[in-house]
Amino acid sequence: MKVTEHIANRKGRTLFTLELLPPLKGENFESINQTIDPIIEFAPSFIDVTYHREEIVYKQREDGLLERRTIRKRPGTVGISAAIKFKYNIDVVPHLICGGFSREETENALIDLYFLGIHSLLLLRGDNAVGEKVFRPEKNGNAYAIDLVRQVIEMNKGNYMEEELLNPNPTDFCIGIAGYPEKHIEAPNLTTDLAHLKEKVDAGADYIVTQMFFDNAKFFAFEKACREAGINVPIIPGLKPMSVKSQLSVLPKTFSIDLPDDLVKAVEKCTDNQQVRQVGVEWAIAQSKELIKHGVPVLHFYSMGKSDNIRKIVKEVF
Ligand code: FAD
């Protein structure tokens, strides 16, 4: 089932999904099992798999010229999504990004996904390449998430990049996009960011998943602003349990979000990261319960590859 079908069939219940990262090259599927196994008995409706571009550095050679070197690779999200789908008999939502990919590579990945029976996607621009101050699209690549949305919508109509392509079968992808309750870090203000979000929905996106937030009031205000702006697709809140003390500064800096006072005080009191993990779990349980009461369709848990804390949360709230 597609994400929109899960939502339509939920009968008032709130569902949940776990977002996981593909393992680094050199690791194996075991690390995926270790993330999913503790959660599976609580019946997530689907599993999100992130996509990451290669990490490139430029090293200065003796002759003074710069040499481009790839320092980090994550195995393909397409293959990992398929492996999860067939091993756990569960729906998967691979993320696809603009950064690092030409439109043709994206089209090929989409053809593979459709062939594998994977019909839900989360489409994103992707972050800047490591070391780059601004986002640079790949040559012949998509520049914004909306361009990726348009590419998939065209395929849904049977329009591929090559007009002469034989058997240009229309696909039927369900499209998710990202939204930012506290605005995207590069957006000049919330109103502009919301206008760009609306453009993505008007272009054909079916649902929104939000950036993490720690204060539900921010989500409720965002949802209200979306509805007032005429954005009527389902909005799925993204939740991340805090797990290490350094996140007090890393999360606001990386994601341009605010942490509520009470959470900051509770984390500051912790003497080790085990205690921080517990505070993070309790905070996320309280957030989840309130969001469920509010009637959100799905909770999207960011796992960052470890799910022991998410297990405690879903055990308590589902
Ligand atoms: P866009 O919608 O393209 O927006 C990017 C910025 O440009 C925003 O400031 C927006 O306001 C502005 N903008 C949009 N359209 C226009 C336009 N037409 N003209 C001018 N400005 C415009 N990153 C990964 O690399 N891999 C992942 O798997 C991944 N998963 C994610 C999952 C979720 C739920 C979320 C919330 C984020 C995820 N990210 C992931 C991070 C995401 O790629 C970054 O936040 C990225 O910086 C922006 O992506 P976007 O899709 O929101 O971009």
Side-chain angles (χ1 to χ4, degrees), residues 50-51 95 124-127 144-145 180 184 187 193 196 200 302:
T50 60
Y51 215 128
H95 297 188
L124 306 132
R125 187 195 69 178
D127 286 320
Y144 290 105
Y180 300 82
H184 181 254
D193 207 25
H196 290 311
K200 290 192 277 188
Y302 293 99

Side-chain angles (χ1 to χ4, degrees), residues 17-303:
T17 170
L18 176 74
E19 173 185 301
L20 50 85
L21 268 64
L24 283 169
K25 175 190 137 298
E27 291 181 10
N28 57 35
F29 200 72
E30 188 47 32
S31 65
I32 296 278
N33 294 338
Q34 281 170 12
T35 311
I36 299 180
D37 285 351
I39 300 296
I40 207 75
E41 67 178 284
F42 301 101
S45 295
F46 43 95
I47 297 217
D48 276 69
V49 185
T50 60
Y51 215 128
H52 300 273
R53 65 197 292 169
E54 294 178 340
E55 284 183 29
I56 308 283
V57 291
Y58 289 88
K59 290 202 166 153
Q60 190 150 27
R61 296 192 325 208
E62 277 179 11
D63 60 8
L65 292 176
L66 291 178
E67 194 172 65
R68 189 176 195 268
R69 304 297 290 266
T70 301
I71 55 162
R72 177 173 284 186
K73 280 190 178 196
R74 286 185 188 273
T77 296
V78 172
I80 287 168
S81 300
I84 294 171
K85 173 182 158 83
F86 294 114
K87 172 169 180 192
Y88 291 95
N89 191 21
I90 191 168
D91 286 318
V92 286
V93 182
H95 297 188
L96 288 186
I97 58 175
C98 307
F101 298 91
S102 68
R103 294 184 77 244
E104 185 156 13
E105 285 167 332
T106 298
E107 184 173 285
N108 291 341
L110 288 163
I111 292 169
D112 283 347
L113 287 168
Y114 206 69
F115 173 75
L116 289 160
I118 297 173
H119 295 179
S120 294
L121 308 166
L122 189 62
L123 302 181
L124 306 132
R125 187 195 69 178
D127 286 320
N128 306 347
V130 173
E132 286 190 347
K133 289 211 171 73
V134 291
F135 176 83
R136 276 183 230 280
E138 196 69 9
K139 191 169 173 233
N140 302 321
N142 291 308
Y144 290 105
I146 189 170
D147 302 318
L148 192 48
V149 171
R150 288 187 178 129
Q151 182 174 5
V152 176
I153 291 289
E154 282 307 308
M155 280 182 66
N156 279 353
K157 293 181 192 157
N159 298 328
Y160 288 68
M161 290 178 67
E162 174 54 74
E163 283 173 15
E164 308 281 317
L165 191 74
L166 298 174
N167 305 321
N169 298 327
T171 52
D172 181 24
F173 284 113
C174 161
I175 300 173
I177 48 166
Y180 300 82
E182 298 175 68
K183 95 170 182 65
H184 181 254
I185 194 161
E186 295 161 28
N189 55 45
L190 246 175
T191 314
T192 316
D193 207 25
L194 210 61
H196 290 311
L197 181 64
K198 182 156 184 340
E199 281 166 11
K200 290 192 277 188
V201 174
D202 291 346
D206 297 297
Y207 69 100
I208 297 168
V209 184
T210 78
Q211 181 57 278
M212 67 184 75
F213 57 88
F214 292 85
D215 177 356
N216 284 353
K218 298 265 168 62
F219 174 81
F220 298 138
F222 171 72
E223 189 189 46
K224 185 165 178 278
C226 285
R227 301 308 181 219
E228 284 169 4
I231 298 172
N232 293 313
V233 296
I235 305 179
I236 298 177
L239 294 180
K240 173 176 164 42
M242 242 178 154
S243 52
V244 291
K245 211 169 204 173
S246 58
Q247 287 169 343
L248 283 180
S249 56
V250 171
L251 295 180
K253 191 170 153 215
T254 313
F255 300 110
S256 183
I257 53 170
D258 265 356
L259 300 177
D261 265 352
D262 288 351
L263 176 62
V264 174
K265 283 184 191 139
V267 172
E268 275 173 345
K269 266 198 226 142
C270 297
T271 52
D272 59 37
N273 281 333
Q274 216 33 49
Q275 289 179 16
V276 177
R277 242 177 142 68
Q278 189 51 32
V279 168
V281 164
E282 284 163 20
W283 192 269
I285 287 173
Q287 273 194 285
S288 303
K289 285 185 172 168
E290 192 183 21
L291 289 163
I292 290 170
K293 207 167 157 205
H294 180 74
V296 298
V298 184
L299 292 175
H300 177 109
F301 290 106
Y302 293 99
S303 81

